[in-house]
Coordinates of all heavy atoms in Angstrom, one line a residue:
T10 N -5.3 15.7 18.5 CA -4.5 15.9 19.7 C -4.4 14.7 20.6 O -3.4 14.3 21.1 CB -5.0 17.1 20.5 OG1 -5.1 18.2 19.6 CG2 -4.1 17.5 21.6
D11 N -5.5 13.9 20.7 CA -5.5 12.8 21.6 C -4.6 11.7 21.1 O -3.8 11.1 21.8 CB -6.9 12.2 21.8 CG -7.6 11.7 20.5 OD1 -7.2 12.1 19.4 OD2 -8.6 10.9 20.7
V12 N -4.6 11.5 19.8 CA -3.7 10.5 19.2 C -2.2 10.9 19.2 O -1.4 10.2 19.6 CB -4.1 10.1 17.7 CG1 -3.1 9.2 17.1 CG2 -5.5 9.6 17.7
Y13 N -2.0 12.2 18.9 CA -0.6 12.7 18.9 C -0.1 12.6 20.3 O 1.0 12.0 20.5 CB -0.6 14.2 18.5 CG 0.8 14.7 18.7 CD1 1.8 14.5 17.7 CD2 1.2 15.3 19.9 CE1 3.1 14.9 17.9 CE2 2.5 15.7 20.1 CZ 3.5 15.5 19.2 OH 4.8 15.9 19.4
S14 N -0.8 13.0 21.3 CA -0.4 12.9 22.7 C -0.1 11.5 23.1 O 0.9 11.2 23.8 CB -1.4 13.6 23.6 OG -1.5 14.9 23.4
A15 N -0.9 10.6 22.8 CA -0.7 9.2 23.1 C 0.5 8.6 22.5 O 1.3 7.9 23.1 CB -2.0 8.4 22.8
L16 N 0.7 8.9 21.2 CA 1.8 8.3 20.5 C 3.2 8.9 20.7 O 4.2 8.3 20.6 CB 1.5 8.2 19.0 CG 0.3 7.4 18.5 CD1 0.1 7.5 17.0 CD2 0.3 6.0 19.1
Y17 N 3.2 10.2 20.9 CA 4.4 11.0 21.0 C 4.8 11.4 22.4 O 6.0 11.7 22.6 CB 4.4 12.2 20.1 CG 4.4 11.8 18.6 CD1 3.3 11.5 17.9 CD2 5.6 11.8 17.9 CE1 3.3 11.1 16.6 CE2 5.7 11.4 16.6 CZ 4.5 11.1 15.9 OH 4.6 10.7 14.6
T18 N 3.9 11.5 23.3 CA 4.2 12.0 24.6 C 4.6 10.9 25.6 O 5.7 10.9 26.2 CB 3.1 12.9 25.2 OG1 2.8 13.9 24.3 CG2 3.4 13.5 26.5
D19 N 3.7 9.9 25.7 CA 3.9 8.8 26.6 C 3.1 7.6 26.2 O 2.0 7.3 26.8 CB 3.6 9.3 28.1 CG 4.1 8.3 29.1 OD1 4.5 7.2 28.8 OD2 4.2 8.7 30.3
P20 N 3.5 6.9 25.2 CA 2.7 5.8 24.7 C 2.5 4.7 25.8 O 1.4 4.1 25.8 CB 3.5 5.2 23.5 CG 4.8 6.0 23.4 CD 4.7 7.1 24.4
E21 N 3.4 4.4 26.6 CA 3.2 3.4 27.7 C 2.1 3.8 28.6 O 1.2 2.9 28.9 CB 4.5 3.1 28.5 CG 5.7 2.5 27.6 CD 6.4 3.5 26.8 OE1 6.4 4.8 27.1 OE2 7.0 3.1 25.8
R22 N 2.1 5.0 29.0 CA 1.0 5.5 29.9 C -0.3 5.5 29.2 O -1.3 5.1 29.8 CB 1.3 6.9 30.4 CG 0.3 7.5 31.3 CD 0.7 8.9 31.8 NE -0.3 9.4 32.7 CZ -1.1 10.4 32.4 NH1 -0.9 11.1 31.2 NH2 -2.0 10.9 33.2
A23 N -0.3 5.8 27.9 CA -1.6 5.8 27.1 C -2.1 4.4 27.0 O -3.3 4.2 27.2 CB -1.3 6.4 25.7
E24 N -1.2 3.4 26.8 CA -1.7 2.0 26.8 C -2.2 1.6 28.1 O -3.3 0.9 28.2 CB -0.5 1.1 26.4 CG -0.3 1.0 24.9 CD 0.6 -0.1 24.4 OE1 1.7 -0.2 25.0 OE2 0.2 -0.8 23.5
R25 N -1.6 2.0 29.2 CA -2.1 1.6 30.5 C -3.5 2.2 30.8 O -4.3 1.6 31.5 CB -1.1 2.1 31.6 CG 0.1 1.2 31.7 CD 0.9 1.5 33.0 NE 1.2 2.9 33.2 CZ 2.3 3.5 32.7 NH1 3.2 2.8 32.0 NH2 2.5 4.8 33.0
R26 N -3.7 3.4 30.2 CA -5.0 4.0 30.3 C -6.1 3.4 29.4 O -7.2 3.8 29.3 CB -4.9 5.5 30.0 CG -4.2 6.3 31.1 CD -4.0 7.8 30.8 NE -5.2 8.4 30.2 CZ -5.1 9.2 29.1 NH1 -4.0 9.5 28.6 NH2 -6.2 9.7 28.6
G27 N -5.7 2.4 28.6 CA -6.6 1.7 27.7 C -6.8 2.2 26.3 O -7.6 1.8 25.6
L28 N -5.9 3.2 25.9 CA -6.0 3.7 24.6 C -5.4 2.7 23.6 O -4.4 2.0 23.9 CB -5.2 5.1 24.5 CG -5.9 6.2 25.3 CD1 -5.0 7.4 25.3 CD2 -7.3 6.5 24.8
P29 N -5.9 2.7 22.4 CA -5.5 1.7 21.4 C -4.2 2.0 20.7 O -4.1 2.1 19.4 CB -6.7 1.6 20.4 CG -7.2 3.0 20.5 CD -7.1 3.4 21.9
V30 N -3.1 2.2 21.4 CA -1.9 2.7 20.8 C -1.4 1.8 19.7 O -1.0 2.2 18.7 CB -0.8 2.8 22.0 CG1 0.6 3.1 21.4 CG2 -1.2 4.0 22.9
S31 N -1.4 0.5 20.0 CA -0.9 -0.5 19.0 C -1.8 -0.4 17.7 O -1.2 -0.5 16.6 CB -0.9 -1.9 19.5 OG -0.1 -2.0 20.7
W33 N -3.5 2.1 16.6 CA -3.2 3.4 15.9 C -1.8 3.3 15.2 O -1.7 3.7 14.0 CB -3.1 4.6 16.9 CG -4.5 5.0 17.4 CD1 -5.7 4.7 16.8 CD2 -4.8 5.7 18.6 NE1 -6.7 5.2 17.6 CE2 -6.2 5.8 18.7 CE3 -4.0 6.2 19.6 CZ2 -6.8 6.5 19.7 CZ3 -4.6 6.9 20.6 CH2 -6.0 7.1 20.7
L34 N -0.8 2.7 15.8 CA 0.5 2.6 15.2 C 0.4 1.7 13.9 O 1.0 2.0 12.9 CB 1.5 2.1 16.2 CG 2.0 3.0 17.2 CD1 2.8 2.3 18.3 CD2 2.7 4.2 16.6
R65 N 12.5 16.9 30.1 CA 11.4 16.2 29.5 C 10.6 17.1 28.6 O 10.1 16.8 27.5 CB 10.5 15.7 30.7 CG 9.3 14.9 30.2 CD 8.5 14.3 31.3 NE 7.3 13.6 30.9 CZ 6.2 13.4 31.5 NH1 6.1 13.9 32.8 NH2 5.2 12.8 31.0

Side-chain angles (χ1 to χ4, degrees):
T10 307
D11 63 339
V12 175
Y13 175 85
S14 295
L16 298 182
Y17 289 84
T18 304
D19 194 344
E21 293 80 21
R22 180 172 179 253
E24 277 192 309
R25 287 193 306 272
R26 289 180 39 225
L28 294 174
V30 171
S31 301
W33 289 339
L34 288 171
R65 185 175 178 206

